[in-house]
Amino acid sequence: MTFDPRITPARPDLAAKHLEGKVAAARFVEGQEREVIDAQAPVRRAPRPDAEQMTEALMGERVTVYELDDDGWAWGQLEADGYVGYMPASALIAPRAAPTHRVAALRTLAFPGPSIKLPPVATPPLGARLSVLREQERFAVATIGYVPAGHLAPRDRAETDFVAVAERFLGTPYLWGGKTNLGLDCSALVQVALNACGIACPRDSDMQERAVGALVTSLSTLERGDLVFWRGHVAIVHDASTLLHANAFAMAVTIEPITAALARIRASGSDVTSVRRL
């Protein structure tokens, strides 16, 4: 049996206990649950600050950690989408109260008290999860501080239009492995927007192409919200004539004509592999 290393917590020297008998490893360990405390934390391919960032974990996410090394790196698996990699151990803490709310603004600020004149203590992005204890005036009092209540939504209250969520990121820089308004890549734009609508979505475009929506057989019948896939890329149909996507050509999230995007990407040696409709 072949396992995808991106979502399988297994290395030649170490693997998750539940994989014993399924993969080869020198030893198997039970993981320890941790919570992401930083606004966003890099998930890297190797335990080095200059290693490739594969994705990011957002504040409030749970992570199963299988190893903490002496250099301050944690190796583990994200609960939400199953991604495996190395994270700074300093970005993780023992789990606190279960999250009750999610950040619904592109980014919000947490203050140490009920005043916007105080210096912020945290800057959680869209999709971050917070545990709210009570409301005070215009603030939600969370475990991280005082957050503008209007920037939050209960975790069980989902957005209804993922294309509109993705539109909020227009102009955001393209960042390989990024998942926030400081920078994100093509598949993160899709994942974050769908997650905001309560729709589970894998992290990478090839995973999304296999798992999300139903196949559309013709490019001539595109509808708003369709996902157009190339090898290594995904774009959202914005309307009958345009695509919305995070792309390295513009190094930003942009809207561009479908015909121009198809021609440009085809000229680079790639063609549409499929279209999926939710």
Side-chain angles (χ1 to χ4, degrees):
M1 184 179 295
T2 302
F3 293 91
D4 188 334
R6 294 171 294 180
I7 53 174
T8 306
R11 307 180 328 214
D13 63 321
L14 177 66
K17 185 70 174 177
H18 67 83
L19 293 173
E20 193 166 8
K22 301 176 182 178
V23 302
R27 61 190 179 99
F28 296 85
V29 300
E30 297 285 356
Q32 299 293 319
E33 186 181 53
R34 293 290 183 268
E35 176 184 342
V36 179
I37 188 61
D38 287 359
Q40 69 267 345
V43 179
R44 301 197 181 278
R45 188 175 297 277
R48 305 190 315 272
D50 61 346
E52 176 191 343
Q53 176 175 275
M54 301 183 295
T55 187
E56 288 180 310
L58 307 184
M59 179 179 284
E61 276 198 74
R62 271 28 181 192
V63 182
T64 302
V65 173
Y66 295 101
E67 180 186 60
L68 288 169
D69 70 20
D70 294 336
D71 295 320
W73 291 96
W75 180 71
Q77 183 172 35
L78 304 185
E79 180 183 81
D81 61 17
Y83 228 94
V84 174
Y86 294 87
M87 303 173 58
S90 59
L92 305 174
I93 60 171
R96 300 174 297 180
T100 60
H101 288 67
R102 60 179 176 82
V103 175
L106 272 183
R107 192 169 290 270
T108 191
L109 302 172
F111 300 94
S115 171
I116 60 172
K117 296 181 180 180
L118 296 172
V121 294
T123 59
L126 178 74
R129 305 164 193 179
L130 307 178
S131 179
V132 173
L133 309 174
R134 67 182 190 277
E135 290 200 8
Q136 180 177 329
E137 299 174 356
R138 296 179 299 157
F139 292 97
V141 184
T143 49
I144 62 166
Y146 290 72
V147 181
H151 287 180
L152 303 181
R155 286 196 64 191
D156 60 359
R157 185 188 303 165
E159 301 271 1
T160 58
D161 184 344
F162 89 93
V163 181
V165 175
E167 285 177 330
R168 299 179 202 167
F169 287 93
L170 278 172
T172 297
Y174 181 89
L175 175 65
W176 182 270
K179 283 184 62 171
T180 79
N181 67 322
L182 296 181
L184 80 175
D185 58 30
C186 65
S187 55
L189 180 65
V190 171
Q191 185 189 49
V192 169
L194 288 176
N195 286 173
C197 295
I199 301 171
C201 179
R203 176 59 177 88
D204 292 344
S205 61
D206 63 315
M207 300 173 175
Q208 294 169 357
E209 188 171 14
R210 293 190 296 268
V212 177
L215 186 66
V216 175
T217 57
S218 175
L219 282 170
S220 64
T221 59
L222 293 177
E223 297 180 2
R224 185 176 186 274
D226 286 349
L227 300 177
V228 183
F229 292 92
W230 295 261
R231 184 172 57 84
H233 189 60
V234 59
I236 303 166
V237 176
H238 181 250
D239 57 32
S241 61
T242 60
L243 293 176
L244 168 64
H245 57 154
N247 62 92
F249 177 76
M251 285 304 293
V253 177
T254 59
I255 294 173
E256 66 174 315
I258 292 175
T259 52
L262 292 177
R264 174 172 55 77
I265 297 174
R266 187 175 294 120
S268 70
S270 183
D271 211 340
V272 172
T273 54
S274 73
V275 178
R276 311 288 294 188
R277 181 169 297 159
L278 282 84

